[in-house]
Amino acid sequence: MKNAINREIPDFIKGIGKIEPYSGAWTKLKKGWMDEITIPPPNKAKLPHQTKLTATLEEAIKKTNPHDGMTVSFHHHLRNGDLILVAAINILAKLGIKNIMLASSSLNESHSSIMKYLHDGTITRIWTSGLRGDMGQAVSEGALDLPITIHSHGGRVRAIHTGKISLDLTIIAASAADEEGNATGAIGKSAFGSLGYSYIDMRYAKQVIVVTDNLVEYPCYPLSIPQNFVDYVVAVESIGDASKIATGTTRITKSPMDLRIAKLAADVIEHSGLFVPGFSFQVGAGGASLAVAKFIREKMLKKELRGSFLLGGVTSYCVEMLEEGLFRAIFDVQSFDAAVSRSLYENNNHIEIPAALYANPFNCGCMTNKLDIVVLGALEVDVDFNINVITGSGGYIRGASGGHSDTASGAQLTVVVCPSIRGRIATIAKRVETVVTPGETVDVVVTERGICVNPLKPELEENLIKAGLNVRKIEDLQKEVEKIVGKPNVVEYTDKIVGLVEYRDGTVIDVIRQVKKN
Amino acid sequence: MKNAINREIPDFIKGIGKIEPYSGAWTKLKKGWMDEITIPPPNKAKLPHQTKLTATLEEAIKKTNPHDGMTVSFHHHLRNGDLILVAAINILAKLGIKNIMLASSSLNESHSSIMKYLHDGTITRIWTSGLRGDMGQAVSEGALDLPITIHSHGGRVRAIHTGKISLDLTIIAASAADEEGNATGAIGKSAFGSLGYSYIDMRYAKQVIVVTDNLVEYPCYPLSIPQNFVDYVVAVESIGDASKIATGTTRITKSPMDLRIAKLAADVIEHSGLFVPGFSFQVGAGGASLAVAKFIREKMLKKELRGSFLLGGVTSYCVEMLEEGLFRAIFDVQSFDAAVSRSLYENNNHIEIPAALYANPFNCGCMTNKLDIVVLGALEVDVDFNINVITGSGGYIRGASGGHSDTASGAQLTVVVCPSIRGRIATIAKRVETVVTPGETVDVVVTERGICVNPLKPELEENLIKAGLNVRKIEDLQKEVEKIVGKPNVVEYTDKIVGLVEYRDGTVIDVIRQVKKN
């Protein structure tokens, strides 16, 4: 069958079940009260004054009665510095556990060494926001029998809340914790900031282990994770290297091209009609997007304009703007720089928020629904403004869904920034390989060759033309780029589906097929 | 049938259902993983950038589709200063809603004017921690067909979590809130401190209204209540008078008798073996208990001893001890003095906690389970150390269960303080009228006539005798008191059960019968 954006979707996958096709960005939300059930969180009980401490991570894992077919989850707040996911999966593998569903909030290059477990039946299902490096390649080449599911950060909460992901065990790395499991990422030698992604896991997992390299005197605060959800606590030598958080996608670019695009995007924002006192703002990770904040800051100072809140992946740049008084608050679901931990700990208007509050589509109003302006990156954009942030040229999985579709759906103005060409390959395409964020939620695409406004937003287009910006039809831009780099090579796929791209509401917006190796 | 402490309990009540008898303080906890199911929290959805503001409380209530048989809940953080419960019940009554189950975290004299609705079918069921004044009398005299249920603060969370209380609507008074429903009690003209009791309601109620007399610029923080749980927001003239919080049971006594008992209790604590660096401490409301903190502070300063955390109902005295560095943190589920709001807002080691974390028996370890020493009051104590804090002489309901049984069950040392005689009536009785806290969880009773140690704690008794304290058998004390005031009048009851006293685990520890009017 075809879904609402004309992507071919199966209606059933053996081992997965019925597939609900994407039906529009807000179609399910419009129903208001949901038909979809939620699951009851587990009931537990402990006698007073018992210890939760275990000597090793292996001992803690053994105590949770790991079993074949179990689902285990992790957060990715340490990004490329994480040591705990690999350590835990190695232990489960050593214990002979098979058929594991891995439900990490995201996966990255630091996890490559678990790739072998995709081939020996240890890991047979994956839910994740992103996948990169060797593992992305392996999955794209068909390492698993069942497709992985790519979710957004908000969609992950929904999936756990509704029981689509049913967690047997979550293992939460924390840079400080006490013997009862009160834990945080805000202090300690491995401080990594917000623990926003773990909150839903801790609430729903049948067993919760907190792992720390900094066991502090009771009580550990802030209570990013409170003790009443924690079964076991274990102290280890190191949970990882927090200095590796701010790599790759989370550093402000030095590329002249990206800076030029960022400046253009800031001009778009300035003239959008939404750059007004009390506006709220988020920039995504990667490429030009983070750099937009720099130019927005300059414009705010010049206009003496004060915003409401900054949302999302939080950089040191966000903290500077908070401390300068340019914004009233930061809502921090994920810190993109370990250095922001100090602010998270000290500033009571730098607020750690769970992913549910950040972006879950099915509650009384997540923060992304209150967002005015978001700036996001893209691997590819098509002439319908659909965005691909998951598969690279060649059809391989190498990105992450993250909060892309969540923020695009919620923000009043969604600005996508990308160069029109990357490494001799067109970024503006007739048809993107994989859709993560639907075009109806994207308002404007900013490239070095011009600015394209979604025809759904004629007023915005008018504003930008009036401001003298280089506004162009996206079809024209696509053709111009194609003239320069030529028609793209057609990626060859087999029929096998290796990935489902879930929209935040649980419908399937696209599938990723197995790349045919030459 | 008789329960584990020999109280006569029915096994079934028409309109209520099967009654599970109390089986021992930790019997159900010992099962670890609970058989009892929890209920799924509601799933909701809102489109981005919609308003939640309504013009009046009536409009907000109408929008939630109130209906006959509904359950509506409130918090009692404003104690005797609360205006919102009465206002809301008046609106529901005016709308003609009948057969309401009222599930306030507690009820007090400020709510007396809703008494008329007990007689006209508007309110037909009540769950509450406490009941005082005219309403207590009316219920004791049989105003309702069905018995009310008295729960502990921890037990209330359990009851909501397991669906015994199924909330259709919760109305949360907040001293500050923004248009999305982010709300707190920590700031504003009506600041009342912690919003700890509302957290479970907001999570489970099908509809959530935040009422404030201080609508602030977005975002309102701290996020005591986060927006993703809030359906409607309404600004009113006044939510109440926070200066009335610190009345009656929450002021440190000036009575010489109470001070004498408090001093004795402090001596008991000093020599208990638990007055050591890192000890944790809670004092209950009322009479001598709060005053114990004063003497403990002096002993800590003298010994240069630093404790771990203060728990519970938080007074200005607790805040002083925190700021003096005598304790590392305060966990605040309820502020007993509006003046502590400043500390709650400013000190990041003065931590607002939900009632679930405070005292829910069915999770991975509430704070009461980590408590070393608690000092509690009593209306009556019997020779089995059972405590009555709910019915007064004459058998009338006039007290509150509160955190009494929660803390007694969790603390390593539970000290009950009370005068041996009150107004010519013995406090130390052969048999208390109503048991709220079972004797097996009470370690020592301190009166002006001597100190009685539970025979379950022979080591404690030895320590206190060694310290030269006046340790006596509780049976001897009871007889001595009886000699002075004479045998108590036997209260005459009818067969009708007007109240069920639920132990924190959901079993019934005692029932309250209708007082026979002469």
Side-chain angles (χ1 to χ4, degrees):
Chain A
M1 62 178 161
K2 292 211 162 165
N3 67 16
I5 54 162
N6 264 312
R7 294 276 159 160
E8 188 67 40
I9 307 287
D11 53 10
F12 183 86
I13 295 180
K14 210 182 142 184
I16 302 272
K18 215 170 150 261
I19 302 294
E20 188 182 0
Y22 171 75
S23 57
W26 300 285
T27 311
K28 285 188 76 177
L29 287 176
K30 278 178 192 158
K31 289 201 267 170
W33 282 87
M34 297 305 305
D35 304 326
E36 207 161 350
I37 55 152
T38 67
I39 56 165
N43 216 359
K44 303 181 181 182
K46 295 256 191 288
L47 287 170
H49 306 284
Q50 306 298 300
T51 181
K52 296 177 178 179
L53 287 171
T54 59
T56 62
L57 181 56
E58 180 166 346
E59 187 191 324
I61 289 175
K62 278 183 182 164
K63 285 194 171 187
T64 66
N65 296 316
H67 55 270
D68 288 359
M70 73 186 291
T71 300
V72 58
S73 82
F74 303 87
H75 69 69
H76 73 291
H77 288 293
L78 279 153
R79 298 177 73 96
N80 265 312
D82 175 42
L83 287 178
I84 295 304
L85 185 147
V86 169
I89 297 292
N90 278 337
I91 290 167
L92 288 168
K94 192 182 131 197
L95 294 173
I97 311 299
K98 294 287 173 192
N99 199 18
I100 292 169
M101 186 191 282
L102 173 61
S104 182
S105 57
S106 203
L107 292 165
N108 54 49
E109 288 87 345
S110 71
H111 305 127
S112 291
S113 74
I114 65 164
M115 206 170 71
K116 55 182 177 283
Y117 302 126
L118 308 188
H119 298 286
D120 71 357
T122 302
I123 295 170
T124 52
R125 260 296 265 141
I126 294 175
W127 285 75
T128 182
S129 160
L131 198 62
R132 300 168 198 270
D134 293 346
M135 261 215 290
Q137 186 176 337
V139 168
S140 289
E141 289 175 354
L144 294 174
D145 287 339
L146 289 173
I148 68 168
T149 301
I150 300 292
H151 52 60
S152 74
H153 292 324
R156 181 174 191 268
V157 178
R158 189 217 79 254
I160 294 173
H161 195 52
T162 57
K164 249 184 148 174
I165 301 175
S166 173
L167 298 174
D168 293 295
L169 169 63
T170 190
I171 298 177
I172 301 174
S175 62
D178 62 35
E179 74 252 27
E180 293 291 325
N182 297 303
T184 185
I187 50 172
K189 65 179 177 190
S190 307
F192 51 80
S194 176
L195 254 167
Y197 296 131
S198 287
Y199 197 86
I200 188 74
D201 302 55
M202 126 205 137
R203 190 166 277 280
Y204 275 96
K206 292 193 187 75
Q207 305 261 7
V208 178
I209 297 172
V210 162
V211 189
T212 189
D213 51 11
N214 180 30
L215 194 67
V216 300
E217 193 184 346
Y218 188 90
C220 174
Y221 56 85
L223 302 184
S224 309
I225 300 292
Q227 66 181 47
N228 53 327
F229 293 101
V230 179
D231 295 271
Y232 302 104
V233 178
V234 58
V236 295
E237 188 62 29
S238 171
I239 58 166
D241 181 356
S243 72
K244 289 190 182 160
I245 295 174
T247 54
T249 58
T250 64
R251 270 203 202 119
I252 289 190
T253 180
K254 285 175 184 157
S255 133
M257 163 82 90
D258 281 345
L259 285 172
R260 191 171 143 210
I261 295 167
K263 192 166 176 320
L264 276 174
D267 291 341
V268 165
I269 290 167
E270 181 180 4
H271 299 290
S272 65
L274 290 162
F275 190 61
V276 293
F279 83 107
S280 56
F281 188 46
Q282 175 168 354
V283 289
S289 10
L290 278 181
V292 180
K294 182 177 130 69
F295 296 108
I296 287 297
R297 172 175 170 270
E298 286 164 14
K299 287 183 195 291
M300 290 177 78
L301 287 170
K302 200 170 153 193
K303 288 206 170 184
E304 295 184 5
L305 192 151
R306 195 184 178 214
S308 169
F309 65 91
L310 286 164
L311 182 62
V314 173
T315 59
S316 299
Y317 213 81
C318 297
V319 170
E320 276 172 43
M321 288 199 281
L322 180 77
E323 293 182 345
E324 284 177 324
L326 290 180
F327 287 91
R328 296 190 68 232
I330 293 176
F331 292 111
D332 189 345
V333 70
Q334 178 180 13
S335 308
F336 276 168
D337 184 340
V340 313
S341 301
R342 178 201 51 81
S343 165
L344 185 64
Y345 186 73
E346 288 176 6
N347 292 325
N348 70 354
N349 56 348
H350 182 161
I351 302 159
E352 186 171 16
I353 60 168
L357 177 54
Y358 172 54
N360 179 11
F362 292 158
N363 61 32
C364 284
C366 54
M367 292 290 175
T368 54
N369 274 6
K370 187 71 177 169
L371 193 57
D372 291 317
I373 302 167
V374 67
V375 182
L376 298 165
L379 291 172
E380 276 183 305
V381 181
D382 72 20
V383 292
D384 296 320
F385 291 82
N386 294 314
I387 310 290
N388 173 16
V389 283
I390 192 72
T391 52
S393 62
Y396 284 95
I397 300 170
R398 50 155 283 201
S401 170
H404 204 285
S405 64
D406 297 317
T407 51
S409 146
Q412 303 215 58
L413 175 67
T414 301
V415 181
V416 168
V417 289
C418 59
S420 61
I421 300 168
R422 269 196 200 98
R424 300 293 304 158
I425 292 164
T427 305
I428 311 296
K430 263 197 183 149
R431 185 180 180 282
V432 292
E433 285 302 316
T434 315
V435 180
V436 171
T437 297
E440 66 172 313
T441 65
V442 174
D443 300 309
V444 51
V445 174
V446 178
T447 74
E448 81 288 2
R449 282 175 203 279
I451 293 158
C452 309
V453 181
N454 192 321
L456 295 170
K457 293 287 178 91
E459 269 181 49
L460 176 64
E461 184 166 33
E462 210 172 296
N463 288 344
L464 300 184
I465 289 170
K466 264 190 208 155
L469 296 176
N470 177 23
V471 176
R472 310 183 54 186
K473 285 208 167 138
I474 198 162
E475 293 82 0
D476 296 343
L477 183 59
Q478 185 271 321
K479 280 173 199 153
E480 177 181 316
V481 169
E482 192 173 293
K483 261 191 198 157
I484 299 167
V485 296
K487 278 193 194 291
N489 292 331
V490 174
V491 181
E492 285 190 86
Y493 298 104
T494 75
D495 284 343
K496 177 174 170 173
I497 293 172
V498 298
L500 299 170
V501 183
E502 202 190 60
Y503 191 59
R504 57 200 301 263
D505 63 5
T507 60
V508 172
I509 192 161
D510 210 345
V511 296
I512 303 167
R513 288 176 199 271
Q514 183 182 27
V515 174
K516 208 180 261 181
K517 281 207 278 189
N518 299 317
Chain B
M1 63 178 162
K2 292 212 163 165
N3 69 16
I5 54 163
N6 264 313
R7 295 274 160 162
E8 188 66 40
I9 307 286
D11 54 9
F12 183 86
I13 295 180
K14 210 181 141 185
I16 302 271
K18 216 170 150 261
I19 303 294
E20 188 181 1
Y22 172 76
S23 57
W26 300 284
T27 312
K28 286 187 75 175
L29 287 175
K30 278 179 190 155
K31 290 201 266 173
W33 281 88
M34 298 304 305
D35 303 327
E36 207 160 349
I37 55 152
T38 67
I39 57 166
N43 216 359
K44 303 180 180 183
K46 296 257 190 287
L47 286 170
H49 306 284
Q50 307 298 300
T51 181
K52 296 177 179 180
L53 287 172
T54 60
T56 62
L57 181 55
E58 180 166 346
E59 188 190 325
I61 289 175
K62 278 183 183 164
K63 285 195 171 187
T64 66
N65 297 316
H67 55 271
D68 289 358
M70 73 185 292
T71 299
V72 57
S73 82
F74 303 87
H75 68 69
H76 73 291
H77 288 292
L78 279 154
R79 299 178 73 97
N80 266 312
D82 175 40
L83 287 178
I84 294 305
L85 185 146
V86 169
I89 297 293
N90 278 336
I91 290 167
L92 288 169
K94 191 183 131 196
L95 294 173
I97 310 300
K98 295 287 174 192
N99 200 17
I100 291 169
M101 186 191 280
L102 173 61
S104 182
S105 58
S106 203
L107 293 165
N108 54 48
E109 288 87 346
S110 71
H111 306 126
S112 291
S113 75
I114 65 163
M115 208 171 70
K116 55 183 178 282
Y117 303 127
L118 309 188
H119 298 286
D120 72 356
T122 303
I123 295 170
T124 51
R125 261 297 263 139
I126 295 175
W127 286 74
T128 182
S129 161
L131 198 61
R132 299 168 199 271
D134 294 344
M135 261 215 290
Q137 187 175 337
V139 168
S140 289
E141 290 175 353
L144 294 174
D145 288 337
L146 290 173
I148 68 167
T149 302
I150 300 293
H151 52 60
S152 74
H153 291 325
R156 181 173 192 267
V157 178
R158 189 217 79 253
I160 294 173
H161 196 51
T162 57
K164 250 183 149 175
I165 301 175
S166 172
L167 298 174
D168 294 296
L169 170 64
T170 190
I171 298 177
I172 301 174
S175 62
D178 62 35
E179 75 251 27
E180 292 291 324
N182 298 303
T184 185
I187 50 172
K189 65 178 178 191
S190 306
F192 52 80
S194 176
L195 254 168
Y197 296 131
S198 287
Y199 198 85
I200 188 74
D201 302 56
M202 126 205 136
R203 189 167 278 281
Y204 275 96
K206 291 192 187 74
Q207 303 261 8
V208 178
I209 297 172
V210 163
V211 189
T212 188
D213 51 11
N214 181 30
L215 194 66
V216 300
E217 193 184 345
Y218 188 90
C220 174
Y221 56 84
L223 301 185
S224 309
I225 300 292
Q227 66 181 47
N228 53 327
F229 293 101
V230 179
D231 295 271
Y232 302 104
V233 178
V234 59
V236 295
E237 189 63 29
S238 170
I239 57 166
D241 181 356
S243 72
K244 290 190 181 160
I245 295 175
T247 54
T249 58
T250 64
R251 271 203 200 117
I252 288 189
T253 181
K254 284 175 185 159
S255 132
M257 163 82 90
D258 281 345
L259 286 172
R260 190 172 144 209
I261 296 168
K263 193 167 174 321
L264 276 175
D267 290 341
V268 166
I269 290 167
E270 182 180 3
H271 299 289
S272 65
L274 289 162
F275 190 61
V276 293
F279 83 108
S280 54
F281 189 45
Q282 175 169 353
V283 289
S289 9
L290 277 181
V292 180
K294 182 176 130 70
F295 296 106
I296 286 297
R297 172 175 169 271
E298 286 164 13
K299 288 183 195 289
M300 290 177 78
L301 287 170
K302 200 170 154 194
K303 289 206 169 185
E304 294 183 7
L305 191 150
R306 195 183 178 215
S308 169
F309 65 91
L310 286 164
L311 183 60
V314 173
T315 60
S316 298
Y317 213 80
C318 297
V319 170
E320 276 172 42
M321 289 199 281
L322 180 77
E323 292 182 346
E324 285 177 324
L326 290 180
F327 287 91
R328 297 189 69 232
I330 292 177
F331 292 111
D332 190 345
V333 70
Q334 178 179 14
S335 307
F336 276 168
D337 184 340
V340 312
S341 301
R342 178 201 52 79
S343 166
L344 185 63
Y345 187 73
E346 287 176 5
N347 292 325
N348 71 354
N349 56 348
H350 182 161
I351 302 159
E352 186 172 14
I353 59 167
L357 177 54
Y358 172 55
N360 179 11
F362 293 157
N363 61 32
C364 285
C366 53
M367 291 291 175
T368 54
N369 275 5
K370 187 72 177 168
L371 192 58
D372 291 318
I373 301 168
V374 68
V375 181
L376 298 165
L379 292 172
E380 278 184 304
V381 180
D382 72 19
V383 292
D384 296 321
F385 292 82
N386 294 314
I387 310 290
N388 173 16
V389 284
I390 192 72
T391 52
S393 61
Y396 284 95
I397 300 171
R398 49 156 284 200
S401 170
H404 203 285
S405 64
D406 297 317
T407 51
S409 145
Q412 304 216 58
L413 175 67
T414 300
V415 180
V416 168
V417 288
C418 59
S420 61
I421 301 169
R422 270 198 199 97
R424 300 293 305 158
I425 292 165
T427 305
I428 311 297
K430 262 197 182 150
R431 184 180 179 283
V432 291
E433 284 302 316
T434 314
V435 180
V436 170
T437 296
E440 67 171 312
T441 65
V442 175
D443 300 309
V444 52
V445 174
V446 179
T447 75
E448 81 289 1
R449 284 176 201 277
I451 293 157
C452 310
V453 180
N454 193 321
L456 296 169
K457 293 288 178 92
E459 269 181 47
L460 176 63
E461 184 166 33
E462 210 172 296
N463 288 344
L464 300 185
I465 290 171
K466 264 190 208 157
L469 295 177
N470 177 24
V471 175
R472 309 183 53 186
K473 284 208 167 138
I474 198 162
E475 292 82 359
D476 296 343
L477 183 59
Q478 186 270 322
K479 280 174 198 152
E480 177 182 317
V481 169
E482 192 174 291
K483 262 192 199 157
I484 299 167
V485 295
K487 277 193 194 293
N489 292 331
V490 175
V491 181
E492 285 189 87
Y493 298 102
T494 74
D495 283 343
K496 177 174 170 174
I497 293 172
V498 298
L500 299 170
V501 183
E502 202 190 61
Y503 191 59
R504 58 201 302 262
D505 63 4
T507 60
V508 172
I509 192 161
D510 210 344
V511 297
I512 303 168
R513 288 177 200 271
Q514 183 182 25
V515 174
K516 208 180 260 182
K517 280 207 278 189
N518 298 318

